[in-house]
Amino acid sequence: MRLHRMFGPLLGALASLASVETVMAQQPYYGAGPGMSSGSAAIDGSGGYYQVPGAGAYPSYYQPWPAISPYEMDYGQTAIEDGLWQYDSSSAFSTPAQWRFKSEYVRTRVRAAKGYVGYRGAQTYKQEVLPLLRQAPYSLTSVADAFEGGSNISGQNYFDPVQGGEIHQPDLNGVRFTLDALNPEGSGLEITGLFSDGGGGFNARDYTSGESGIPALVNNSERLRLIQFYDPAQVANPPVSNVVEFQPVRVVNPGGGQQGGGGGGAQTGIEIPVGRFQDISQALAVTLKNLRGIPLDDGTVQLGPDGRLFGGASAVYDLDFKLDYSVQQYGFGMRWNTNPWYKTSSFRLTPNVGMRYFNLKEDFGFVGVHSGLVYDNLAITAPVNPAVLLHSLPNGIDDNQDGLIDPAGAIEGGQQGGGGGGGGGGTGQGRFIYPAGNNTVFPITSWLSNTVESNLIGPEVGVSYIWGGELMHIGGRTNVSVMANFERMNMAGDNIFVTTRPSNLNTPTTADPRPNDFASEISSSHVSPMLEQSFFFDGPFLRYVPILRRSSIAYNANVSLGYSFMVIGQVTRPDQSIVWRGNPSRDLYPSINPSRSSWFSDSFNVGLSWTW
């Protein structure tokens, strides 16, 4: 182990206090050194200086050997290295022997969101609707069983909630810069800065099948326009109370001509400038999708006698359902690498201490669009149940060979037929209706955004270990810290409600055009422990690459490859901190309930460094 000479006077003073009498181990030299007095000085036979009459005395802080002189090095050691005697020295008042600058590209993976998007205990859409499908007038027992699955089978998706693990794991791209001031013995100051951002997500439409041989509707604006294209006369004079059925319409043939649908709708219908469909029912069958749902506490969730929650209902979305999870991080730190604890010609073990600031911002967002339509395979005169949105089994197969895969509004032939009407059971077509008054509300967009920003600052300690020679190195670093964590959470959104119940919404007014929106904010502070482990390998590889080695910049650069992972405890996660309540008519909105867990990330980096 090496000690700075600054500890010499302290140890000497302690030794002198412990002794009874001051004893000099060696006769001191008298007189002033060169340039230290106003008089003159001469050299005696031993090579020392002696006082010449009239010469000035040493100041108290300039004492000759064996005391410490300000002209000596702060550190010095003579040792055998590589078979030769080497002398290392440094001074606290001198400039660093070397500077090093490193620039790196960093690719970071963050652990995916976990948990359950929705209110635990609220019933899913399957739990609400499958019992209805097993009964008359639907009588779709085998279809309901297939959606539900067996004891060891998850079953088919039927507006299922999203598990956190289904959200794509965020990938971050960023840069890190490091500036080192290096002393000969291995100590020095290190300054580091980092920035990276990125994200993942989940788009339910990526997991659905569509039409075969019929051009898809490619964007939201077309989907939203399409469901407004009904016969206006049917709105004013609905054929059956409380329902409005879509009628066949005239469509635009991509070849330039027009082709009619069936019935009177071909004469009075509205042109649809999207797709190539026989009628609007066919267009809707491939546009409305069995996407995903979010179970909500609508004010009916209760605790049962068995200790489990029951009640609630699911908000379901048949036009769009997207979840976004984005992460941004930046920070900087200052670290002092001390003299190596252990050093050989090929290995160094060096402790370090420092301070670190780290900013972590995570955002969880949801956007869902619901058509507001009710669709099943019953006759237009049959009673309407707004909760039933009938879909064929999502098996990705065109069971009845009609060019429509897993259509909405009916069960495909070959799966199981239902009651007739509206195109007939098992034909791949069904009725699509608006309950009275809903055409002023739907299609409706629901959205929510929850952002958590964590500002962490605190001291850190660690140790680095490096193997290698003068050119190539392999090593790693382990650092731990206890950081103060100042967190701020912001939530906002609109239209979170059970989408098959428009009565749950408040009515917009001139004074309040958005009566169903919400917002909240919470701040907190606590302590978060941190562990970071990194490994690296670097060397001057570019000097062996033809053409590149002709450049002095490339020739003198070191290529660095590395991997690191970080764990921060007690971090509030945005996806896990949402209480999914939704019934604006009863003043129920989503709220923040901070839920903390460990935050994990691992990074791969590649960079270049230069030393001068």
Side-chain angles (χ1 to χ4, degrees):
M1 180 181 296
R2 304 172 178 175
L3 296 176
H4 285 267
R5 290 192 176 182
M6 61 180 291
F7 292 109
L10 177 61
L11 296 177
L14 293 176
S16 64
L17 291 176
S19 63
V20 178
E21 181 179 357
T22 301
V23 177
M24 297 300 297
Q26 185 174 348
Q27 180 68 25
Y29 293 138
Y30 297 99
M36 298 304 296
S37 68
S38 58
S40 60
I43 302 176
D44 64 11
S46 64
Y49 292 91
Y50 63 90
Q51 183 72 39
V52 176
Y58 270 111
S60 60
Y61 46 85
Y62 286 154
Q63 296 300 321
W65 186 92
I68 294 179
S69 167
Y71 299 113
E72 295 189 56
M73 296 295 109
D74 182 53
Y75 159 81
Q77 184 186 53
T78 302
I80 295 179
E81 293 184 8
D82 301 324
L84 299 174
W85 286 97
Q86 304 286 345
Y87 178 69
D88 286 344
S89 65
S90 68
S91 170
F93 302 100
S94 62
T95 59
Q98 286 184 325
W99 292 90
R100 181 176 62 192
F101 174 75
K102 179 186 289 187
S103 175
E104 298 171 280
Y105 164 75
V106 182
R107 176 78 168 182
T108 302
R109 299 181 304 177
V110 177
R111 186 184 68 176
K114 66 177 185 178
Y116 179 86
V117 182
Y119 192 93
R120 288 282 187 184
Q123 65 179 345
T124 65
Y125 187 73
K126 283 181 180 178
Q127 293 171 327
E128 178 184 4
V129 170
L130 293 186
L132 300 176
L133 296 185
R134 293 187 174 99
Q135 303 172 7
Y138 306 102
S139 302
L140 299 173
T141 301
S142 63
V143 173
D145 291 343
F147 272 121
E148 187 173 49
S151 57
N152 297 319
I153 304 174
S154 60
Q156 299 278 4
N157 168 58
Y158 200 14
F159 294 110
D160 288 346
V162 177
Q163 303 292 332
E166 296 181 82
I167 303 174
H168 184 267
Q169 185 175 9
D171 294 317
L172 284 65
N173 297 292
V175 293
R176 178 167 54 217
F177 300 102
T178 305
L179 179 64
D180 293 332
L182 305 172
N183 292 318
E185 81 287 357
S187 68
L189 181 66
E190 178 181 321
I191 302 175
T192 303
L194 168 71
F195 174 82
S196 63
D197 68 347
F202 174 87
N203 188 340
R205 278 194 168 264
D206 294 339
Y207 301 91
T208 61
S209 53
E211 67 279 2
S212 175
I214 297 178
L217 303 178
V218 295
N219 57 52
N220 286 342
S221 62
E222 291 176 344
R223 296 182 191 121
L224 299 182
R225 269 193 345 216
L226 177 62
I227 65 173
Q228 301 288 2
F229 292 153
Y230 49 79
D231 189 345
Q234 298 292 323
V235 178
N237 301 292
V240 180
S241 178
N242 295 330
V243 299
V244 174
E245 183 179 21
F246 282 87
Q247 296 296 310
V249 296
R250 189 186 316 167
V251 298
V252 176
N253 189 313
Q258 294 183 345
Q259 57 185 24
Q267 304 299 320
T268 62
I270 303 171
E271 293 184 358
I272 305 176
V274 289
R276 183 176 58 188
F277 302 100
Q278 294 296 321
D279 55 51
I280 197 169
S281 294
Q282 190 181 63
L284 290 169
V286 297
T287 301
L288 303 176
K289 293 296 184 180
N290 168 17
L291 299 179
R292 293 302 184 104
I294 297 181
L296 299 174
D297 175 10
D298 62 345
T300 63
V301 174
Q302 301 178 38
L303 186 65
D306 59 353
R308 291 185 296 181
L309 297 173
F310 69 94
S314 282
V316 295
Y317 301 92
D318 56 8
L319 286 175
D320 272 296
F321 185 100
K322 297 178 182 178
L323 298 174
D324 293 308
Y325 179 35
S326 62
V327 180
Q328 182 184 92
Q329 59 181 15
Y330 64 87
F332 63 88
M334 297 183 64
R335 184 181 297 125
W336 175 258
N337 298 297
T338 69
N339 295 335
W341 276 356
Y342 180 76
K343 179 181 179 182
T344 67
S345 59
S346 60
F347 177 74
R348 290 200 309 271
L349 181 67
T350 306
N352 64 78
V353 295
M355 289 289 295
R356 173 182 293 203
Y357 168 76
F358 187 72
N359 177 279
L360 173 64
K361 184 177 181 181
E362 297 182 278
D363 181 78
F364 177 81
F366 154 70
V367 175
V369 183
H370 180 51
S371 66
L373 292 172
V374 177
Y375 39 97
D376 55 36
N377 63 341
L378 304 180
I380 188 64
T381 56
V384 176
N385 189 333
V388 176
L389 309 178
L390 189 61
H391 283 269
S392 296
L393 293 177
N395 57 12
I397 300 173
D398 185 4
D399 296 275
N400 56 3
Q401 300 297 309
D402 64 350
L404 307 180
I405 300 175
D406 304 337
I411 298 299
E412 288 185 279
Q415 296 182 351
Q416 177 178 332
T427 66
Q429 266 189 297
R431 64 173 181 173
F432 298 83
I433 61 178
Y434 264 135
N438 283 9
N439 57 311
T440 62
V441 175
F442 294 97
I444 192 167
T445 299
S446 304
W447 67 275
L448 179 145
S449 175
N450 191 29
T451 302
V452 178
E453 185 172 9
S454 301
N455 290 278
L456 301 103
I457 186 169
E460 65 173 349
V461 297
V463 62
S464 63
Y465 22 89
I466 300 176
W467 291 267
E470 181 179 353
L471 295 180
M472 296 188 182
H473 306 84
I474 184 172
R477 171 176 285 156
T478 305
N479 276 69
V480 296
S481 177
V482 177
M483 312 180 80
N485 188 348
F486 303 95
E487 289 182 333
R488 184 172 65 253
M489 291 154 277
N490 290 278
M491 177 187 289
D494 200 0
N495 297 327
I496 303 297
F497 72 110
V498 180
T499 48
T500 55
R501 305 175 189 170
S503 60
N504 286 0
L505 291 172
N506 296 318
T507 303
T509 64
T510 304
D512 188 4
R514 294 179 56 193
N516 303 300
D517 64 346
F518 56 91
S520 58
E521 180 177 339
I522 294 178
S523 298
S524 66
S525 59
H526 56 277
V527 173
S528 293
M530 183 274 293
L531 167 67
E532 184 178 38
Q533 176 66 58
S534 62
F535 304 96
F536 67 88
F537 173 64
D538 61 25
F541 305 117
L542 296 183
R543 66 178 57 178
Y544 304 107
V545 179
I547 299 177
L548 283 181
R549 63 188 180 187
R550 298 178 182 178
S551 168
S552 61
I553 295 178
Y555 187 88
N556 294 315
N558 263 24
V559 178
S560 177
L561 304 174
Y563 168 80
S564 64
F565 66 87
M566 177 185 291
V567 182
I568 305 177
Q570 295 298 302
V571 175
T572 300
R573 310 305 300 276
D575 56 299
Q576 302 169 30
S577 302
I578 303 171
V579 182
W580 287 96
R581 292 191 175 94
N583 189 343
S585 66
R586 297 180 59 176
D587 201 30
L588 289 176
Y589 303 93
S591 60
I592 301 173
N593 182 26
S595 176
R596 295 171 185 155
S597 61
S598 296
W599 185 82
F600 296 88
S601 69
D602 61 336
S603 303
F604 296 89
N605 56 275
V606 58
L608 298 174
S609 64
W610 294 267
T611 302
W612 68 94

